[in-house]
Each structure stands twice: as C-alpha cells, then as structure tokens.
Amino acid sequence: MTKTVEKNGIKGTANIIELEISGMTCTSCAARVEKKLNKLPQVATANVNFATEVATVTLTETDVAEPSVITELVKAVQAAGYRANLHEEREEKKQKNIYTVRLVASIVLLIPVAIFSFAPSIRPSSWKEIALVVAAVAVAYSGWPFHKATFVNLKHLAMSMDTLVSLGTLSAFIWSAVVTLANLNAPVYFDEAVGITAVILIGRFIEDKTKYQASDLLSSLFELGAKDVYVLRGDKEELIDIKQLKVDDIFVVKPGTKIATDGIVVGGSSAVDSSIITGESLPVEVGPGDQVIGATINTYGELHVRAEKVGGETALAEIAKLISEAQGKKANIQKLADRTSAIFVPFVVAAAVLTFLGWLLFGYGVNSAFIAGVAVLVVACPCALGLATPIALMVGISRGARLGILIRDPSVLENTRKVTTIIFDKTGTITDGHISVRQVVSLIPGNEKELLSLAASLEKSSEHLIGKAIYEYGLSEKVLLMKNDNFISVPGEGVLGEVAGDKIFVGKKNFLTQNSITIPESLNSIEQDFLDKKESVIFIGKNHEAIGLISLADRVKESAKEGIQAIKNLGIKPMMVTGDNEVVAHHIGGMVGIENIVANAMPGDKVGCIDGLQSQGEVVAMVGDGINDAPALTSADLSIGIGAGTDIALAASDITLMGGSLTAVAEAIMLSRKTLSVIKSNLIWAFGYNIVAIPLAMLQIINPLVSAGLMSFSSIFVVLNALRLKSFHLEKESHE
Ligand code: ADP
Ligand code: MG
C-alpha cells in the first residue's frame, strides 16, 4: 500500500503528487492538462479531475518527488495554458468566485441595451452607437474568461464550450457593429451579445457556487481534525498549535473535545465517539493502553494520550488521501462522455455553419439565418456532459466517507449494481472477533496450565484472532510463556512450531490428523460435548499425539442480523463461508439469518466457492476482514473489507468499511448504486439535452437568449442532481 513520506519538505503518498490546477473552464481543459502531464517521462499516470481541480500524478520513480520534478510538472501545465500549484493548503481555496465582478458588470450593462430593444419609443437618435459602446465593454470585459479560454484552446488547435460562447457573442457583436458603423439597413443584436454573456456568467456563477458546495463536503473532512491541543510539559498544560505537536508528546483531551491525533491512552478513562471515522455512533470505552484516533470525540472523561502519529501520517490524513485519490480516478462510464466531449464542439460549430447556410439556401434572409447559427452555438452544452460524472463521484464518495464507507475506486460502482451473492467470512466479520477461551482440557488431568503454556507460547506469533485470544488468555492466566522456533502459520488450519524442544501443533482437528498426529478417542467425545454447546474447538498436538483441546466462543455482532436482512432486502443472497466447523457455522448462521453456509473451508476453498458461483453466472461480492481472506477478496467481483479504524490503509479492498458494522455493507452497496444512478441520469440528461436543444435552435424554435439560459440551466442541473447524494441515508433509501 501507499505510504506517506516526507522528503525535502514535500509531503506525498510515496510517488503520488497532487497539483492544484487553475484556469480550467471545461472538461476538455482537464483532458488537455492530463495529456500534457502524461507525456512527461517522469510521469507514470496523470489524472485530472475537473470537478475538484486537482491533478493526481503518479511518478515512475517510486520515490517522493524532487522539487525539480515538481517544477517540470508545473511547467508542463503552464505550457498547456493553465496554472498549477502544489496541492496542500486546501483551506485557502474557498469560495473565491472569479465570476462575481464580471457578472455584475454584465447585468448593469445589459440594462440600457435591453431598454433599447424592448422600448423602441424611448430610443435616443444615436441609440445604436451607445449600444455599440456598452456592448463592446460587456463582451470584452465580462466575456473575457470565455475569450481567453478560447484563445488558449486555439493555440492547441482545440475547442471547448468557451469557443462556442465566444463565437456566439463575438459574431453577434461584430455583425451588429458592422451594421451600425456602415449604417446598413439591418437589425442589430447588441442585446443578444450582452444578454448571452450575462446569462452564461450567471450559469457559471451558480455552477461554481454549487461545485464548491459539493467540494465543501470533502474539505470539511480535511478540517475535521483539532486545531490546537493541550500538551503536558512537566505537570503544566500548555496550549499549542496542532502543527507543533510531535510524536511521543503527551497531550490532554478534555471532555467533549476532539482528540488531537492518533495515539495511545496513558491516563484517564472515557468513552470515545468515533463516528467521524467509522460512521458508528455508539461511543467506545477506552482506558490506559487503548488506541485512539485523531478527530474522534472524547465524551465524558479526561484523557492523557501519547501521540503516535502526527500530520500526514494519521488515520484521518490517510483517509482524506484515499478519498481524493478515488475521486481522481474515473468510472468506466465516463470514458464515453470523454470521447464525446472531444468531438462535440467541432460538431456544434459545423452544425451552426450548416444552420446558417441552410436558412440562406431555403431563401430566408441573412438575418434570420445568422441568428439561428448563433442560437445553435450557445445552446449546445458540452459542460454538462463533462461534469456529469466527476461531480456525482465527488459528492457520492465524500458522503460515503462521512458514513465510514471508503469507495476506493469508482470503477467498482458498476459491480455494486450487478452483485447477486455476498459471501461473508465468519470470524471477525459476522462475529465481533472478541473471542473468549471457554475451557482448556488436558488429556492428563491437572495439566491444563502446561497445555495452555505451550499453546500460548506458540500463538504469541500468530496474527489470527483465535491465536490472539489464546495468547491473551495465557497472559491473563499468567502461564509460563516460552520462546518458539520455526513458527509456521497455515491459513485456515492452524499453527505449528517448536516450543521447549517439542513440536507443537495448534489448530483444527483435521490439521492435526493431516500431520499424522493421533487423536485419542477420549478427546473426540470431549470435543462432541463442546460442539453440542456450539463452541469452537481447537486441538493441541505435541510431537505425534494430541494432548488436549481448547474451546472458544465468539459473539455475533449486534448489527449482524439487521445487516443481513438489509442485504436480503436489496435482493442479494447472503452466504457464509468459514474455516470453522459445521456445528458452529450453522449455529451462527441461524442467529443472523444466513441459510447458505459452507463450513470447514480452507482459504483456497473460499476462492473455489467464488469461482464456482461466478461460473454459474453469479456476480459475487466478498466481505472479509482483509487479512486471511485476501485471496478470496481478490477473486471476488467486488471486495468489501471490514476493518478497524487504523487498519484501513492495509486493506486492499474495493470498498473499505471503517466501522465493523454489518449494516454498512448494505449501505455501501446502496450508496454506490445511487451514485451510479446519479451519474447515469446526469449523462442521459446531458446527452438528451443536447440532442433535443440543438435541433430546436437550428429550427429557430428557440432564440439565442433562451438558448443561453437553457444551456446554463443544463449544467447547473447536473450539479444539483449530484448534490442529492449529500443526504444519502440507508433507511431513507429503503423506504423510497
Ligand atoms: P474464518 O473463515 O472463520 O475466518 P479461518 O479460515 O481464518 O476462519 O480459520 C479456520 C479455522 O482454522 C479456525 O476456525 C481454526 O480452527 C483454525 N485456525 C486458524 N488459525 C488458527 C490459529 N492461529 N490457531 C488455532 N487455530 C487456527
Ligand atoms: Mg476471518
């Protein structure tokens, strides 16, 4: 996985740099910057997101960028006609709407020309000359952003929506200027020239505002962290800026405040509300030795915490990074829109010319032919097309983050729609993983401590939840913990190694028999007793013989039943595949409502099970804790990792659920589907709009001013449509 590194004062995720790009007015600009960056030898891939105005650049060297590389990147962007900055201080970029002054100017200037055209009776004699001057100022000053962008595009032999606006307003203006100055007997279109400029600026203004509103959701995530913090210096508390906090500093968290950064509690106890990170609202009790995550909220007690991670290394920073990376990636569906946008503008210009020639050919006057051409230019809206996908992704992904759902790559959205079966792992996924040892049984009565000592000494090296439970039980029982040698973990089976000169095996019964260890009959009947109580049984073997067993029990997550029901409500079949035995598996399945169960499954069997379902035409999602379920996660069509707050960066799943809640699985799927449907409706709208509007303008059913209004509305519509995702909620959706 990516790792945050710092070198030469530049922070980045290993070899990924983010640049903030300004001056882009349309998605074709973004495409151009992207192309330019991709041509550089230092760049592996570059992705430019028009909605967030961020370029995510992956360098070929696996090291963090040198300043010289950054200069190269910035230069390349400048050569394309745009500006680039290192993307760091997000806060600065707030609400600076560059269109405000030009918009106000255009509206003021529109007043006299509008009066002239609507009230011919009060026109002064030299009204045309006055209108010429007013319109010249409006078109030149207010319309400047469009002309400038057109010029930049022209240098690259390219066109964008600015080209259309620019062409439309300039031709209306120049036509009218010629009529006025040469004193020809023809109508003038100064009101159109100024009106189109004003209307499109209004559109841009609103679009910008709503775009910021959408990105606000994201930046508020970056601003979730605490701003300052009380550090302990001696026994004095000192309030310092969060940036000055260093690893190993002890800081004080007052009741009701945010925890400054990731760390370990060294004093005090309280309950922590981690909903900001995990989406789970129930506070969790913490005390000395427990881990806490920055930006989560301390409820009632005062805590002393030793800082473990600061700045870009914290869980919150990692999450923010993952989100902006995800937003930089493209959903498959967008590629069609990208291809269309590229040929769209030249197509519209051609359509405008044809319209003009057509009307002339059919014997209509040059005036009406001309105005129809202008209407075609300004009604077409490539912007809605380009904005449709990124804006929906931006809002959808940010909303997910708020709910503790990390959608890591938008290309998985399609699969969330197709999923027919979801396979759940048992331990740590359906159960909460707080496994408790119920009983230790030794073949030699009275020898339980020795047995536990051997097992715990070996399991000390295990990552498995069962292993940890046995080791911790050993600790709490204060048994002798010895060093182990040649430790081997066999996923889905158990562990083996040498302890005190003996070969020790701890694992499922099969694991022992496969290793030619004999199981005495008496152990088999004891096992049956535990199975009757629905407890899991682990055997312990020493050299060639089983010497005892340990029974364990796990708790089903509170959210499990509801979560499985929510999955069923979505029409998806839940299934459980576990390495545990039949009895326990069916017992747990019965408690949560899963009928379809495969027990005694090896990690390889989990993969086989997925393959089997896939060959029957099922689209399979796998939900697991991401460590021993890794092979299955990778072969599933959609992988959902259930992780505890800090491990999220480790799980290489398509979607990561930061809280452990199983209802979040259904929620993640619903949100993904909803985001996809917003993208689709946006694209249908954008394509549909253009398909309908362009012919209407060609046929003179709508005039240039109405065209400009419609065009602006169509791009605002896609942004508003996307903003609906901002209030996404599972319960709300399931009632719809
Ligand atoms: P699950 O599918 O329920 O998450 P795993 O596939 O990880 O379970 O493991 C399957 C079985 O293998 C466990 O139920 C246990 O019997 C055995 N096992 C795995 N790892 C260990 C270990 N470290 N110590 C003891 N037994 C283990
Ligand atoms: Mg597991």
Side-chain angles (χ1 to χ4, degrees):
M1 246 334 277
T2 47
K3 185 171 163 283
T4 310
V5 284
E6 186 164 355
K7 191 168 161 188
N8 301 322
I10 299 162
K11 267 193 202 137
T13 309
N15 56 340
I16 296 174
I17 305 182
E18 293 195 334
L19 293 175
E20 203 160 290
I21 312 290
S22 42
M24 297 191 295
T25 53
C26 210
T27 37
S28 47
C29 303
R32 194 161 316 119
V33 175
E34 200 172 281
K35 221 166 160 185
K36 204 78 184 181
L37 287 171
N38 272 318
K39 274 196 191 133
L40 295 177
Q42 302 95 323
V43 174
T45 55
N47 227 319
V48 178
N49 187 329
F50 171 62
T52 53
E53 301 185 324
V54 171
T56 311
V57 184
T58 312
L59 299 172
T60 39
E61 298 282 314
T62 48
D63 201 0
V64 73
E66 298 283 342
S68 65
V69 175
I70 303 217
T71 320
E72 286 293 313
L73 297 180
V74 172
K75 266 197 203 144
V77 176
Q78 280 167 348
Y82 308 92
R83 269 157 290 125
N85 283 309
L86 248 171
H87 182 58
E88 275 196 313
E89 295 299 315
R90 269 178 182 267
E91 290 122 271
E92 283 177 17
K93 187 193 148 179
K94 271 199 203 129
Q95 290 288 354
K96 252 190 300 166
N97 207 318
I98 53 166
Y99 298 108
T100 319
V101 182
R102 294 186 202 270
L103 170 63
V104 172
S106 70
I107 291 172
V108 172
L109 294 167
L110 181 61
I111 296 169
V113 285
I115 292 173
F116 292 161
S117 57
F118 287 115
S121 52
I122 58 165
R123 281 174 183 162
S125 57
S126 56
W127 71 276
K128 280 189 187 171
E129 284 74 15
I130 299 173
L132 170 68
V133 175
V134 171
V137 176
V139 171
Y141 173 71
S142 296
W144 179 245
F146 308 122
H147 309 314
K148 190 181 147 213
T150 303
F151 184 69
V152 170
N153 279 317
L154 208 62
K155 278 204 303 199
H156 299 280
L157 298 175
M159 296 178 180
S160 72
M161 78 148 276
D162 302 282
T163 316
L164 300 177
V165 176
S166 215
L167 272 181
T169 52
L170 284 177
S171 46
F173 175 76
I174 292 168
W175 164 285
S176 311
V178 170
V179 168
T180 307
L181 295 176
N183 214 355
L184 303 174
N185 185 18
V188 290
Y189 300 114
F190 291 122
D191 51 344
E192 251 85 8
V194 184
I196 293 169
T197 307
V199 168
I200 290 176
L201 278 173
I202 293 174
R204 277 287 171 89
F205 180 82
I206 299 175
E207 189 185 315
D208 245 42
K209 264 222 156 20
T210 37
K211 240 169 81 177
Y212 275 118
Q213 206 183 326
S215 70
D216 232 29
L217 200 63
L218 179 63
S219 42
S220 62
L221 232 134
F222 287 82
E223 286 156 19
L224 287 174
K227 300 275 177 285
D228 38 37
V229 53
Y230 288 97
V231 273
L232 268 190
R233 303 255 194 258
D235 2 293
K236 273 215 218 90
E237 290 176 14
E238 201 180 305
L239 188 66
I240 60 165
D241 191 292
I242 182 85
K243 290 189 183 114
Q244 289 169 296
L245 190 71
K246 286 193 262 321
V247 172
D248 282 340
D249 276 346
I250 309 271
F251 61 93
V252 182
V253 193
K254 312 265 178 198
T257 64
K258 275 179 191 161
I259 295 176
T261 197
D262 301 1
I264 300 278
V265 178
V266 292
S269 64
S270 182
V272 174
D273 172 357
S274 308
S275 57
I276 257 169
I277 303 279
T278 61
E280 266 171 46
S281 51
L282 228 61
V284 179
E285 294 289 331
V286 295
D290 287 331
Q291 223 192 357
V292 289
I293 303 172
T296 57
I297 294 165
N298 175 26
T299 57
Y300 62 81
E302 183 174 284
L303 293 173
H304 288 193
V305 179
R306 192 180 66 241
E308 275 200 309
K309 288 175 182 168
V310 292
E313 312 239 301
T314 60
L316 183 68
E318 293 273 359
I319 293 166
K321 198 99 210 161
L322 283 174
I323 295 166
S324 59
E325 272 170 33
Q327 289 178 330
K329 291 178 191 156
K330 284 181 179 155
N332 294 335
I333 189 170
Q334 193 181 345
K335 290 176 187 138
L336 173 70
D338 278 355
R339 252 179 284 138
T340 317
S341 308
I343 54 157
F344 185 80
V345 179
F347 165 81
V348 173
V349 174
V353 172
L354 278 180
T355 304
F356 177 71
L357 295 177
W359 286 102
L360 274 186
L361 218 69
F362 284 104
Y364 289 83
V366 67
N367 285 325
S368 106
F370 172 78
I371 214 66
V374 171
V376 171
L377 286 178
V378 296
V379 84
C381 186
C383 233
L385 221 49
L387 215 49
T389 312
I391 200 83
L393 283 181
M394 180 157 87
V395 184
I397 290 175
S398 305
R399 177 64 192 153
R402 268 303 167 89
L403 295 169
I405 299 164
L406 277 189
I407 301 170
R408 321 250 307 219
D409 190 336
S411 60
V412 307
L413 294 180
E414 281 288 349
N415 284 346
T416 62
R417 192 177 55 83
K418 296 185 202 142
V419 165
T420 53
T421 298
I422 301 188
I423 296 184
F424 291 89
D425 164 59
K426 180 181 72 78
T427 316
T429 301
I430 291 176
T431 65
D432 67 5
H434 290 298
I435 300 169
S436 53
V437 172
R438 285 295 164 87
Q439 209 168 329
V440 179
V441 179
S442 169
L443 260 191
I444 310 162
N447 213 16
E448 285 77 17
K449 282 240 157 163
E450 282 71 18
L451 186 91
L452 181 60
S453 158
L454 289 175
S457 301
L458 192 59
E459 294 282 23
K460 185 174 192 267
S461 308
S462 168
E463 269 300 304
H464 199 278
L465 291 171
I466 291 178
K468 282 187 180 160
I470 293 176
Y471 168 66
E472 267 153 35
Y473 186 66
L475 276 182
S476 70
E477 292 293 298
K478 302 200 170 58
V479 297
L480 177 67
L481 289 172
M482 292 166 278
K483 169 170 103 51
N484 66 51
D485 291 306
N486 302 323
F487 174 86
I488 296 172
S489 161
V490 185
E493 297 271 352
V495 293
L496 64 119
E498 281 152 34
V499 180
D502 289 310
K503 207 160 182 167
I504 305 298
F505 297 80
V506 185
K508 58 166 82 165
K509 194 165 154 189
N510 262 349
F511 175 58
L512 269 72
T513 49
Q514 273 163 17
N515 283 287
S516 321
I517 293 170
T518 47
I519 315 267
E521 197 40 51
S522 58
L523 275 188
N524 281 329
S525 65
I526 299 171
E527 179 197 17
Q528 196 52 50
D529 293 343
F530 287 121
L531 290 183
D532 291 344
K533 286 192 275 177
K534 321 290 182 206
E535 289 177 7
S536 305
V537 183
I538 300 296
F539 283 77
I540 292 102
K542 183 171 160 186
N543 300 321
H544 299 291
E545 221 181 349
I547 55 166
L549 49 80
I550 296 177
S551 83
L552 307 141
D554 199 355
R555 272 196 324 229
V556 164
K557 281 181 188 166
E558 271 180 49
S559 59
K561 198 168 176 185
E562 193 191 335
I564 299 294
Q565 190 54 49
I567 294 290
K568 287 182 176 169
N569 291 348
L570 290 178
I572 302 172
K573 284 169 282 195
M575 186 172 166
M576 179 163 88
V577 181
T578 175
D580 210 343
N581 66 59
E582 293 276 348
V583 181
V584 175
H586 279 95
H587 174 63
I588 304 261
M591 284 189 346
V592 300
I594 299 184
E595 293 87 31
N596 207 346
I597 294 168
V598 178
N600 289 316
M602 307 272 297
D605 295 341
K606 293 188 186 180
V607 176
C609 184
I610 292 173
D611 288 345
L613 286 167
Q614 281 170 337
S615 65
Q616 288 165 31
E618 303 262 341
V619 178
V620 186
M622 167 83 202
V623 187
D625 55 17
I627 301 162
N628 57 350
D629 303 312
L633 283 169
T634 34
S635 59
D637 297 295
L638 175 73
S639 58
I640 301 178
I642 276 199
T646 45
D647 288 339
I648 47 125
L650 281 168
S653 39
D654 299 328
I655 295 179
T656 304
L657 306 177
M658 287 173 284
S661 162
L662 274 193
T663 43
V665 175
E667 201 165 30
I669 287 182
M670 271 308 276
L671 175 66
S672 301
R673 287 181 175 181
K674 190 97 191 178
T675 305
L676 188 68
S677 84
V678 167
I679 292 175
K680 284 193 172 157
S681 59
N682 266 356
L683 284 175
I684 289 171
W685 161 267
F687 275 111
Y689 163 80
N690 284 301
I691 289 168
V692 173
I694 295 173
L696 289 183
M698 289 175 100
L699 297 171
Q700 295 203 32
I701 293 169
I702 46 180
N703 68 32
L705 265 186
V706 172
S707 298
L710 282 180
M711 183 281 213
S712 290
F713 173 72
S714 80
S715 53
I716 294 168
F717 176 89
V718 298
V719 181
L720 290 178
N721 190 32
L723 279 175
R724 288 190 304 139
L725 290 170
K726 221 174 155 171
S727 57
F728 169 87
H729 215 279
L730 182 63
E731 276 123 63
K732 203 180 100 195
E733 300 308 320
S734 30
H735 292 303
E736 259 180 21

